[in-house]
Amino acid sequence: DAKTTQPPSMDCAEGRAANLPCNHSTISGNEYVYWYRQIHSQGPQYIIHGLKNNETNEMASLIITEDRKSSTLILPHATLRDTAVYYCIVRVRGTNAGKSTFGDGTTLTVKP
Amino acid sequence: GAGVSQSPSNKVTEKGKDVELRCDPISGHTALYWYRQSLGQGLEFLIYFQGNSAPDKSGLPSDRFSAERTGGSVSTLTIQRTQQEDSAVYLCASSSGGELFFGEGSRLTVL
């Protein structure tokens, strides 16, 4: 699995957009970008994934650069409940996806 | 159940004892993962099972750690002769090839 790099922490004001960056400069052509978040004392929760096109779901948007070496997770209107550790990983899809390596993630603190 | 189930949710043991942690994956998921998370740290990969293939054990920290997956479903992570540094939350995840679905973890405390 390709290594990802994320800032250790970020703050965001409640109601504002939270933009969380991730660098994955060694990503392979068949690897997807996945985002998860972990709220205190819970298991990680899947948020969104993408290959090369931008993606949006009810939780967030994912912007992937054209060269696929970095991406940004966007929470359009952050709430206090979005305070969590956010993990960016890259992995292939399919039955032989192999192990998935998580880094230390970004601790997002949403402030009132 | 609908999600990944782990038991026990909390385990306190004495140094030197053996412990077993159980993971019940989502039905039909062929891939199963174990991770360890020490306090304030990220997820450390331990072991990965995929169908009937040999497991990827590359993340197991020592030979005191082992895991098995019976019948392609339930998995047990065993830690022998526990040490205080084994204290952590042990997370299990399953997948059908896409996103990982995590359980709530088993918190192990070694006194």
Side-chain angles (χ1 to χ4, degrees), chain B residues 72-87:
Chain B
S73 180
V74 172
S75 177
T76 302
L77 177 69
T78 301
I79 309 172
Q80 296 178 312
R81 304 182 303 281
T82 52
Q83 304 294 313
Q84 288 183 330
E85 60 263 30
D86 299 334
S87 295

Side-chain angles (χ1 to χ4, degrees), chain A residues 45-56:
Chain A
Q45 173 194 24
Y46 164 79
I47 301 173
I48 198 168
H49 74 278
L51 182 62
K52 54 184 178 181
N53 297 322
N54 298 337
E55 302 288 344
T56 296

